[in-house]
Amino acid sequence: MEVEWEKLIPKPRSRFLLVQCNECGHRQIVFDNAKIEVKCQVCNATLALPKGGKARILGRVLETLT
Ligand SMILES: [Zn+2]
């Protein structure tokens, strides 16, 4: 799986994003290429959706942690 990734995207590594929930403001670390839907631990709002191997972030990205 990792090998296929590198063909599509030049960046070899995934990142962690600090995402703030739009609903309640809770801050949570979200994996950049999450394979499953990520929900807010506080209010259960969707923070990220898996899309083509790369997470689509629905919340507000505050910081990128490499
Ligand atoms: Zn929330």
Side-chain angles (χ1 to χ4, degrees):
M1 281 305 186
E2 287 296 319
V3 176
E4 288 180 15
W5 255 98
E6 289 174 10
K7 290 179 189 169
L8 297 172
I9 296 168
K11 290 176 190 170
R13 289 174 185 278
S14 321
R15 300 169 304 172
F16 289 96
L17 305 172
L18 181 61
V19 177
Q20 184 169 39
C21 175
N22 286 329
E23 302 297 325
C24 73
H26 174 68
R27 294 174 185 188
Q28 193 169 317
I29 302 293
V30 176
F31 194 36
D32 191 42
N33 65 357
K35 300 274 195 299
I36 55 164
E37 185 176 337
V38 179
K39 294 194 169 189
C40 175
Q41 290 168 353
V42 174
C43 73
N44 216 35
T46 302
L47 295 182
L49 289 170
K51 195 173 187 183
K54 182 117 178 159
R56 180 171 166 231
I57 306 299
L58 301 181
R60 187 174 163 211
V61 178
L62 298 175
E63 219 173 309
T64 302
L65 314 164
T66 51

